[in-house]
Amino acid sequence: MLATSLEEILKRKINFSELSEILPRGFEEEFEVRLVEGKLTEQEEKISKELLENKYSTYEWNYERKNNQLDSQKIKE
């Protein structure tokens, strides 16, 4: 059976602070890039707000999508 969480993989709890330090380093190593902290452009802020309001905060996105994924998994099994 595949591990389903970082806690299962690491065999210990991991807090957000630790994750926020480790995750960028992992991306840098895996993709051989250097991440630079910056701010969103005005256009990116606008897109972000629209996605939050019209997609990510909707019932369909948060609940229906999960149910559809579970149904799809059952079909594959």
Side-chain angles (χ1 to χ4, degrees), residues 2 4 14-15 17-18 20 24-26 32 34 39 42 44-45 48 50-51 55-56 58 63 68-69 71-73:
L2 292 174
T4 58
I14 184 168
N15 63 40
S17 177
E18 186 179 7
S20 68
R25 284 198 313 245
E32 298 178 356
R34 183 171 174 269
K39 295 185 178 193
E42 196 173 301
E44 290 168 331
E45 286 280 358
S48 165
E50 288 174 3
L51 284 170
K55 184 174 186 178
Y56 300 126
T58 65
Y63 298 102
N68 290 338
Q69 288 174 344
D71 291 341
S72 296
Q73 260 184 336

Side-chain angles (χ1 to χ4, degrees), residues 49-72:
K49 187 176 180 180
E50 288 174 3
L51 284 170
L52 177 62
E53 292 173 359
N54 300 313
K55 184 174 186 178
Y56 300 126
S57 63
T58 65
Y59 179 88
E60 292 78 15
W61 175 261
N62 288 293
Y63 298 102
E64 293 297 326
R65 193 171 64 83
K66 183 177 182 179
N67 291 338
N68 290 338
Q69 288 174 344
L70 291 174
D71 291 341
S72 296

Side-chain angles (χ1 to χ4, degrees), residues 18-52:
E18 186 179 7
L19 181 63
S20 68
E21 292 177 20
I22 295 170
L23 197 57
R25 284 198 313 245
F27 274 97
E28 288 178 332
E29 291 173 15
E30 180 64 27
F31 298 109
E32 298 178 356
V33 297
R34 183 171 174 269
L35 299 178
V36 179
E37 201 169 316
K39 295 185 178 193
L40 296 177
T41 65
E42 196 173 301
Q43 180 68 16
E44 290 168 331
E45 286 280 358
K46 181 181 176 194
I47 292 168
S48 165
K49 187 176 180 180
E50 288 174 3
L51 284 170
L52 177 62

